[in-house]
Amino acid sequence: MVEHFRPHAPRERQALVDLLTWFDYCLDIKDFEGYARCFTPDGVLSLPSGEVRAPDVAEFVRRDLGRFDRTHHMTGNHIFDTGDGGVRMRANLLAVHRHGADTRGHWDVGAVYHCVCEHTDDGWRFAHVRLEVVWENGRADPSA
């Protein structure tokens, strides 16, 4: 059974929210190496299209999201649990991906992040991030 996570100090909870905020911010500014640094060295990114291991995350995300003119990622409703596997965080995601200069051409995704977080010498990092898509609007590839 998973015990409800109650951080010893509000700054612990804030550090986990900050990690996820930075994670998404790096996507929006196309800092794919910064995005990859949010993972532990053996971390895993699980997407509907498959899994990517930490050493390959930056290049994968560069190919996947770097093709969009702009992206806009926002999270909320952060929920935390803890157990034998570290701290688990669940957060809702709204992501907008703009195809080009026309701000009306975009692909939108509503999803849930399911994260396992570990505290390292460098602070909190993701051991595993799984993206569960709830809904989509538009197309990732408008020519498809």
Side-chain angles (χ1 to χ4, degrees):
M1 180 165 161
V2 176
E3 214 176 280
H4 188 68
F5 175 58
R6 300 219 189 275
H8 299 294
R11 68 178 172 217
E12 289 181 49
R13 176 180 160 79
Q14 188 60 54
L16 292 164
V17 172
D18 288 350
L19 174 63
L20 187 60
T21 301
W22 184 256
F23 185 73
D24 283 341
Y25 175 71
C26 286
L27 290 176
D28 292 342
I29 64 168
K30 298 186 182 216
D31 178 3
F32 304 118
E33 287 76 19
Y35 178 86
R37 283 192 299 274
C38 292
F39 286 91
T40 61
D42 58 345
V44 177
L45 174 63
S46 297
L47 302 170
S49 59
E51 286 191 350
V52 182
R53 300 275 171 191
D56 302 320
V57 164
E59 188 53 38
F60 173 82
V61 176
R62 182 184 326 282
R63 284 190 318 270
D64 189 43
L65 293 183
R67 62 192 162 111
F68 292 99
D69 184 58
R70 298 282 305 269
T71 62
H72 190 82
H73 292 78
M74 299 161 284
T75 64
N77 298 345
H78 304 91
I79 303 293
F80 302 92
D81 285 311
T82 191
D84 294 338
V87 175
R88 291 180 197 86
M89 175 171 45
R90 180 197 187 280
N92 291 340
L93 167 68
L94 174 60
V96 179
H97 309 80
R98 196 171 84 190
H99 294 297
D102 182 354
T103 59
R104 294 169 294 182
H106 48 90
W107 167 51
D108 309 324
V109 177
V112 178
Y113 280 130
H114 299 276
C115 309
V116 177
C117 309
E118 292 180 1
H119 197 269
T120 71
D121 291 342
D122 296 320
W124 288 100
R125 296 293 183 265
F126 294 121
H128 190 208
V129 175
R130 180 174 63 86
L131 183 71
E132 172 193 2
V133 174
V134 176
W135 59 266
E136 295 180 64
N137 184 45
R139 294 185 177 271
D141 181 358
S143 63

